[in-house]
Amino acid sequence: MAEREVEVPVVCRFLRTKHSFGTFEGELVPWQAGLSTTACYWCLKTMETAGPDDGLVHAHRCREGRSCFEGPSA
Amino acid sequence: MSDEKKIRLPSGIAGAGLGDVERTVPSDEPPPLAPNAKLAVLGRPTPRIDGRAKVTGAARYTADVRLPGMLFARMVRSPLPHAKVASIDTAAAEAHPGVRAVHVIEKLLGSAVLRDPSKEIPSKLPIVRYAGQPVAAVAAATPDAADEAARLVKVVYEALPFVVDLEDARKADAPQVFPAPADQAGTAGGGGGPRGVPQVGNVHGPVKKGFMGPPKGDVKQGLADADVKVEAEFRTQVQTHSALETHGVVADWRADGLTVYASTQGTGSVKDELAEIFSLPKSRVRVVTEFMGAGFGAKFGAGNYGVVAAHLSKKAGAPVRLMLDRREEHVAVGNRPSSVQKIAIGAKKDGTLTAISLEAYGTAGTGTGAGCGGPAQNMYACPNILTEESDVFTNAGPAAAFRAPGHPQGCFALEQAIDELAEKLGQDPLALRDKIDVSQGKMDASAARREERRQGAERVGWKDRRHAPGADPGPVKRGIGVAQSVWYRITNLDSACEVRVTRDGSVEVLSAVQDIGGGIRTALAQVVAEELGLAAAQVTVRIGDTAFPAGPSSGGSMTTGSITPAARNAAWRLKQKLSDGAPPGTSFRDACRRLKTEEIAERASRTPEYGGDPKARAGAEALGGVQFAEVAVDTETGVIKVERVVAAHDCGRPFESFPALAAAAAQSATPQIRNMATVGGNLLQRPRCWYFRSEDFVCRKKGGTQCYAQDGENQYHAIFGNDLCAIVHPSSLATALVAYEARLRLVSAGGKERDVALEDFLTRPENDVTRENDLAKGELLRSINVGVSQKARSAYLRQGEKESFDWPLAEVAVVLDLKDGKCVHASVVLGAAGPVPWRAKAAEKVLLGSAVDDAAARKAAKAALEGATPLAKNGYKLAIFEALVRRAILAAAAG
């Protein structure tokens, strides 16, 4: 019974949302895709809804290319 | 595969089509749990195993944690909603003799630049985006010293334009909450986030995708095809959290790691965040939540306060307690976003839906999460659904999850629109829902709701009680309504339990899962006791500590469903070990005595759902609920009462039955009344005025020069005699006793007795504003004598926000003596009206000498309000009093 493969977008390791603390099992979209309209996000660097660059914290935005982005730890 | 087996599991709704399904499960999976009727512990009345600890105060909540040498912290928060912090001077705070550490919340990455530099607000310290955002904190030896030192932190702000109103924030020229360029969403993520989620100004969205459903079909076409259309707009307001225990921690930074006592819904989430922030191995961070005073979605993660407390503890070399106060709770740590929902529904004449369109926006302050489209996306079968959801940023505290995020708002709008559709179609709202709430394949709760509608309608008496609007005779009109909901089954695979058994027969369950008040301690004890053949009270449950196996966070209604299967699996395996080699019929106790070692233990985790269909896993399911309410509206006073509520919800397998709940409810209140209260205490109690009760207000009654209620929050204050002090006398008993012209007998310390009318004994502010009565020092109230004749007729009516356990908004006591059909004596006394029980002499005058009929009662009721001087927020009392006086007079006259 192999787990179904779901592509998980890479978001900044300092991004958090309540969704990361609970999951739908199965094929539903992972929280990192940022499709939930009820999710609130915060940055562990600032503990606020703005990141270190003063921009909005969101799964759509806390991705590679943003100046304060940090990838998953090795 | 040899390590798997096939089993059949019950599936469906008991009493309404319970079937079974085949599933492939690991070979060491316990057999399916028998129905409750065949179980000994589960589904039986079970007292909470921690009930005694909670009611006796022995239970240690985070707010109760006191460690040796512990310091007290206080945050410094911005009073401005949008500002650049020019400088922070902590020198004076650091020089305070009680202070041990000061922490300034700094930007952790100083070199970051926005992609569009022209939009950047250059600042060394974080930009303030809402009033209440923390900027610094102090830790001191005492709470008072921390408060003083926090006030000594000098912060220089450069104010920036701000916007706090939802509609203003949507305007093109509104101040920008974030300097991010409008096209950032398109360029973020080194290739862009999902397309179609633009941001223009403060408006982030619309998002058109449901995370598991629509858009589907063509809504425009669906509306065009409709025979009947409903279009409406609904609004819901921002709602703040107010858990009994505020957010907070005690952080204890030691050389070998960090221990944090936290009021949290997720011990694991606090550990995860603190380890990441402080670059500590997770094994060096321990989070403890023995008991916590509730959380409704806002208590996840470490929070600013948790991080700050850890910093302060590290700096001071001592444990630091940082519990937020009630104001901080409301401004800074989460709220339910507002919503404005434009909804359009199309249907054929028979009710079949052709389109659901929802355009919604709301504000989550500086955060996101204002979507509310879940119910529109997932409740009703419809070929064409489109939801467009936007966040509107404002300079207000960020939202947090709040009980089924977005769904109460979404149901509020959708369900009213469905009712309007039923009315347009001329159909019964329940019958319409039976037609349109049908299976849509996956994520389907329609079968559950169908049964809930059937049972709920029966219990509330839907058929008998429903009638045409306004059909009730008299001023009180009643109506009955129904609404339904959708939610989802969420699990957390990071759910593990260890069960230990020792040779003396002791059983322990260990998990990091925390109890947020739902009773997971008792549920775990029940599950393990059931498996081992014990009583729940024989199982010791140790939870709320990340030193134990990982537990699920408590949110999304997933705690019991995630952790109890792990506990059962561990207990079941332990039982196999105990019975291994034991003769049949060996008792649990004897099996323990036969153990070769002092202790054996089993650890098990939550296993994934074993779905038959790999695409639609068994775990991805919806839950439903249906609620009925009967509401009465007094069209004269405007008072609304919810008289009956029937709620039917999916609850999974009930672990407890209702007798325990009923017993707890029945026992909770009586000791206060039976053992604590006295009649004398009731008459002599101090007023309830919140300014008088608050230590922050030195009002006239406390020797000050001002009555704060007169120009403040005076909705519960006096409408008579309020020019010096606006309290209302707090005793309902006094209102009735003054109507009865009661007299008091008082005795002094020297034994001297005096007799005084209660009406004279209770004194007005003009007499002495600091007092409410004439009781002399050392004097005791010995007896109360009711003055009026035994033949007198009387009535007492009150109107409160609640039926019991609340002070009245208005109350009236009337005593009448009638002779030959005419009134020869009348006492009409208004309570919650003035600083003393307020005798309505003008009303009494109207009644004296006249027949007491409806006309006289109406005239007297109007007269009762002569001389009233309502304040800005309590004018509503006039209409209530007028109705109550009239009704009380007629009730008294009727005997």
Side-chain angles (χ1 to χ4, degrees), chain B residues 578-579 581-592 594:
Chain B
L578 280 169
S579 61
T586 303
S587 69
F588 173 76
R589 197 63 194 264
D590 285 341
C592 291
R594 291 163 53 92

Side-chain angles (χ1 to χ4, degrees), chain B residues 232-297:
Chain B
E233 181 178 301
F234 299 90
R235 287 173 179 250
T236 60
Q237 75 281 33
V238 168
Q239 193 180 356
T240 51
H241 285 263
S242 198
L244 196 56
E245 183 179 51
T246 59
H247 288 65
V249 298
V250 175
D252 190 7
W253 188 288
R254 303 281 178 100
D256 59 352
L258 171 64
T259 300
V260 172
Y261 303 82
S263 181
T264 181
Q265 294 176 247
T267 52
S269 70
V270 178
K271 182 173 91 165
D272 160 67
E273 293 196 358
L274 290 172
E276 184 75 89
I277 292 164
F278 289 100
S279 298
L280 290 169
K282 288 187 181 179
S283 58
R284 293 291 176 91
V285 180
R286 182 181 170 199
V287 177
V288 181
T289 306
E290 258 184 89
F291 288 90
M292 62 92 77
F296 307 104

Side-chain angles (χ1 to χ4, degrees), chain B residues 139-443:
Chain B
T142 66
D144 287 349
D147 284 345
E148 282 173 20
R151 286 194 288 270
L152 294 174
V153 175
K154 292 186 188 111
V155 186
V156 178
Y157 298 97
E158 288 173 15
L160 297 169
F162 66 92
V163 60
V164 292
D165 180 81
L166 175 65
E167 299 302 338
D168 288 347
R170 296 175 72 219
K171 292 174 184 166
D173 59 350
Q176 299 287 290
V177 175
F178 291 101
D183 62 351
Q184 191 177 7
T187 56
R195 288 170 191 272
V197 187
Q199 184 183 337
V200 177
N202 291 317
V203 180
H204 178 262
V207 175
K208 296 181 181 178
K209 285 182 184 171
F211 67 109
M212 57 192 168
K216 62 179 180 182
D218 181 341
V219 159
K220 271 189 184 170
Q221 190 58 48
L223 287 170
D225 293 344
D227 297 326
V228 177
K229 270 190 281 188
V230 168
E231 288 176 306
E233 181 178 301
F234 299 90
R235 287 173 179 250
T236 60
Q237 75 281 33
V238 168
Q239 193 180 356
T240 51
H241 285 263
S242 198
L244 196 56
E245 183 179 51
T246 59
H247 288 65
V249 298
V250 175
D252 190 7
W253 188 288
R254 303 281 178 100
D256 59 352
L258 171 64
T259 300
V260 172
Y261 303 82
S263 181
T264 181
Q265 294 176 247
T267 52
S269 70
V270 178
K271 182 173 91 165
D272 160 67
E273 293 196 358
L274 290 172
E276 184 75 89
I277 292 164
F278 289 100
S279 298
L280 290 169
K282 288 187 181 179
S283 58
R284 293 291 176 91
V285 180
R286 182 181 170 199
V287 177
V288 181
T289 306
E290 258 184 89
F291 288 90
M292 62 92 77
F296 307 104
K299 287 185 176 173
F300 287 89
N304 256 316
Y305 51 93
V307 178
V308 163
H311 275 298
L312 289 169
S313 176
K314 189 179 179 184
K315 286 181 179 176
V320 170
R321 177 185 193 268
L322 178 46
M323 297 299 294
L324 302 192
D325 66 21
R326 193 54 66 182
R327 179 176 168 75
E328 292 174 300
E329 195 74 3
H330 288 292
V331 300
V333 286
N335 55 68
R336 169 179 282 158
S338 63
S339 76
V340 177
Q341 302 176 59
K342 290 175 187 166
I343 194 162
I345 298 179
K348 292 290 187 188
K349 279 179 190 160
D350 67 354
T352 308
L353 296 182
T354 59
I356 298 175
S357 163
L358 175 72
E359 191 187 332
Y361 60 89
T363 183
T366 61
T368 54
C372 53
Q377 293 159 359
N378 302 313
M379 189 119 75
Y380 293 109
C382 181
N384 306 301
I385 300 178
L386 176 63
T387 57
E388 299 173 272
E389 307 168 75
S390 299
D391 282 291
V392 181
F393 298 119
T394 55
N395 291 108
F402 194 154
R403 305 300 305 262
H407 285 62
Q409 301 98 299
C411 287
F412 178 79
L414 178 68
E415 286 300 278
Q416 291 190 74
I418 294 291
D419 273 358
E420 288 187 24
L421 178 65
E423 188 158 337
K424 272 197 170 179
L425 291 165
Q427 290 192 19
D428 179 282
L430 264 187
L432 176 62
R433 286 176 172 85
D434 279 342
K435 180 166 184 64
I436 61 178
D437 185 9
V438 293
S439 177
Q440 311 162 64
K442 64 176 185 173
M443 301 301 288

Side-chain angles (χ1 to χ4, degrees), chain A residues 7-74:
Chain A
E7 193 181 332
V8 180
V10 176
V11 297
C12 177
R13 61 187 277 196
F14 290 100
L15 176 68
R16 289 294 184 278
T17 172
K18 183 191 167 188
H19 269 221
S20 64
F21 307 124
T23 52
F24 292 92
E25 289 185 37
E27 89 225 67
L28 293 165
V29 184
W31 70 265
Q32 290 90 339
L35 283 183
S36 167
T37 54
T38 58
C40 44
Y41 299 90
W42 61 94
C43 168
L44 286 190
K45 287 276 188 185
T46 61
M47 297 307 288
E48 288 290 345
T49 50
D53 62 354
D54 278 336
L56 173 68
V57 171
H58 195 281
H60 294 169
R61 297 186 171 187
C62 299
R63 298 189 181 184
E64 196 172 359
R66 184 163 171 167
S67 56
C68 48
F69 174 84
E70 290 194 39
S73 51

Side-chain angles (χ1 to χ4, degrees), chain B residues 103-126:
Chain B
H103 179 72
V104 172
I105 297 171
E106 292 177 343
K107 184 185 287 184
L108 296 176
L109 292 181
S111 59
V113 288
L114 283 176
R115 219 162 280 131
D116 180 352
S118 68
K119 300 285 184 185
E120 189 187 34
I121 301 172
S123 177
K124 188 181 166 206
L125 295 164

Side-chain angles (χ1 to χ4, degrees), chain B residues 573-821:
Chain B
R573 287 181 206 157
L574 208 53
K575 191 168 72 175
Q576 308 310 307
K577 275 190 181 175
L578 280 169
S579 61
D580 189 22
T586 303
S587 69
F588 173 76
R589 197 63 194 264
D590 285 341
C592 291
R593 286 195 190 101
R594 291 163 53 92
L595 286 176
K596 291 183 180 129
T597 54
E598 170 62 16
E599 175 187 284
I600 58 169
E602 275 291 329
R603 184 188 190 282
S605 295
R606 177 68 157 84
T607 44
E609 305 283 338
Y610 308 121
D613 176 355
K615 285 185 183 171
R617 304 282 298 270
E621 287 182 2
L623 312 171
V626 178
Q627 294 195 356
F628 298 81
E630 187 173 38
V631 177
V633 178
D634 187 327
T635 54
E636 289 181 346
T637 63
V639 171
I640 300 167
K641 270 191 193 172
V642 179
E643 295 193 326
R644 290 160 60 84
V645 170
V646 171
H649 288 274
D650 290 13
C651 65
R653 178 189 291 261
F655 277 12
E656 288 184 58
S657 66
F658 291 113
L661 186 64
Q667 289 163 13
S668 62
T670 50
Q672 295 172 29
I673 295 162
R674 288 182 185 160
N675 303 331
M676 297 297 290
T678 66
V679 169
N682 185 297
L683 294 180
L684 301 174
Q685 65 184 298
R686 302 303 310 273
R688 191 193 173 205
C689 171
W690 38 44
Y691 296 105
F692 171 64
R693 295 284 180 180
S694 167
E695 60 186 24
D696 294 334
F697 295 92
V698 183
C699 68
R700 283 202 181 103
K701 196 165 264 304
K702 291 188 283 193
T705 57
Q706 190 181 346
C707 169
Y708 293 92
Q710 284 170 333
D711 297 316
E713 296 299 321
N714 49 39
Q715 46 269 57
Y716 300 131
H717 286 75
I719 58 168
F720 289 104
N722 51 15
D723 50 348
L724 198 59
C725 166
I727 65 153
V728 293
H729 197 276
S731 169
S732 294
L733 183 66
T735 304
L737 285 174
V738 167
Y740 278 119
E741 298 186 342
R743 298 190 71 80
L744 309 182
R745 182 155 287 275
L746 301 149
V747 57
S748 72
K752 196 176 168 187
E753 293 200 10
R754 68 177 174 126
D755 180 90
V756 59
L758 175 61
E759 192 178 352
D760 298 330
F761 175 75
L762 300 176
T763 54
R764 291 177 58 160
E766 292 80 358
N767 208 40
D768 179 351
V769 73
T770 64
R771 305 198 55 190
E772 294 84 47
N773 57 59
D774 186 31
L775 190 75
K777 194 173 180 187
E779 215 171 23
L780 278 176
L781 171 58
R782 172 173 279 181
S783 64
I784 302 165
N785 301 304
V786 174
V788 296
S789 88
Q790 296 279 326
K791 290 179 188 169
R793 303 150 180 244
S794 60
Y796 167 86
L797 293 176
R798 77 189 287 280
Q799 183 64 56
E801 287 175 334
K802 292 194 292 179
E803 291 265 318
S804 61
F805 267 71
D806 197 6
W807 280 260
L809 299 170
E811 61 183 344
V812 175
V814 171
V815 177
L816 301 176
D817 208 348
L818 304 177
K819 200 170 180 183
D820 302 328

